[in-house]
Amino acid sequence: MVKLNVAITSGYLISDLLLIICYWKAIGDKYFVTHHVAALYAYYYVLGEGMLPYFGNFRLLAEFSTPFVNQRWFFEVLGYPKHSLPNMVNGVLMTVVFFIVRIAVIPTYYGRVFSTFGTEAFHRLGIGAQCAWIISSVSLDIMNVMWMMKITKGCYKVLYHTDGILTKTQKNGKAE
């Protein structure tokens, strides 16, 4: 089941990566490319070598935040104001879910990673898998922390206007 999950995610990562490259002027970002390449590098060892399925699946949990990130983009393309109720609800949910699945799990994840260091299983992985695992994990988490800070600042800006008052919206999504 883990291999199926990782295979599906790898397909999405590859198609995303191709879209980013093809439409670089509109959606290109070096951090998105780095994110996709780092994940694919690590997932190769899960799919191709059958290694580290627990950690591969653990990393997949981060993708629970992706629908909210994509929905934010859809609202932007559809012309929804940033202060519309649907956009604000999605922004808060995106911030909370992103934190839970990408940031709050960092101590648990690295606790499990560090518990394997020096074990026979760790040494059997070999240097290639060890590097893929550790380098991709660290780089992904650095980007996740960076994105979490941006998301939190953006959410705060939308919820609290420059006057410091919580934004109020009407049912039609327009700011009062």
Side-chain angles (χ1 to χ4, degrees):
M1 189 60 149
V2 173
K3 281 191 171 188
L4 177 63
N5 289 342
V6 171
I8 291 169
T9 301
S10 295
Y12 279 112
L13 286 169
I14 291 167
S15 66
D16 255 8
L17 194 53
L18 291 174
L19 286 171
I20 290 168
I21 292 167
C22 288
Y23 298 100
W24 185 261
K25 287 185 180 181
I27 57 175
D29 183 330
K30 63 184 174 189
Y31 295 111
F32 291 159
V33 171
T34 304
H35 168 269
H36 286 67
V37 170
L40 286 168
Y41 176 50
Y43 288 158
Y44 161 76
Y45 284 94
V46 177
L47 285 174
E49 305 296 327
M51 297 178 171
L52 303 165
Y54 170 82
F55 293 99
N57 217 27
F58 198 104
R59 296 311 299 209
L60 280 178
L61 294 175
E63 296 309 317
F64 280 120
S65 64
T66 301
F68 301 102
V69 174
N70 290 343
Q71 188 61 48
R72 184 184 76 61
W73 180 78
F74 284 124
F75 284 146
E76 184 180 316
V77 168
L78 293 172
Y80 277 68
K82 284 186 177 184
H83 298 97
S84 68
L85 185 59
N87 221 338
M88 289 175 29
V89 168
N90 183 70
V92 170
L93 288 172
M94 179 177 68
T95 304
V96 170
V97 172
F98 196 97
F99 176 78
I100 291 169
V101 300
R102 293 186 186 234
I103 305 302
V105 298
I106 289 174
T108 302
Y109 180 78
Y110 285 102
R112 298 286 174 119
V113 169
F114 294 140
S115 73
T116 67
F117 285 4
T119 65
E120 181 186 337
F122 182 77
H123 292 293
R124 277 195 324 242
L125 288 174
I127 194 74
Q130 291 168 353
C131 288
W133 180 23
I134 304 306
I135 292 169
S136 66
S137 293
V138 170
S139 64
L140 288 169
D141 287 329
I142 288 170
M143 286 181 281
N144 285 333
V145 168
M146 178 189 74
W147 287 329
M148 183 75 241
M149 291 174 14
K150 287 176 119 178
I151 289 168
T152 303
K153 286 177 187 174
C155 186
Y156 183 84
K157 274 186 190 176
V158 169
L159 290 178
Y160 294 93
H161 282 296
T162 54
D163 58 9
I165 300 170
L166 186 64
T167 301
K168 293 186 175 124
T169 60
Q170 300 173 346
K171 284 186 182 179
N172 64 5
K174 296 193 179 204
E176 289 183 331

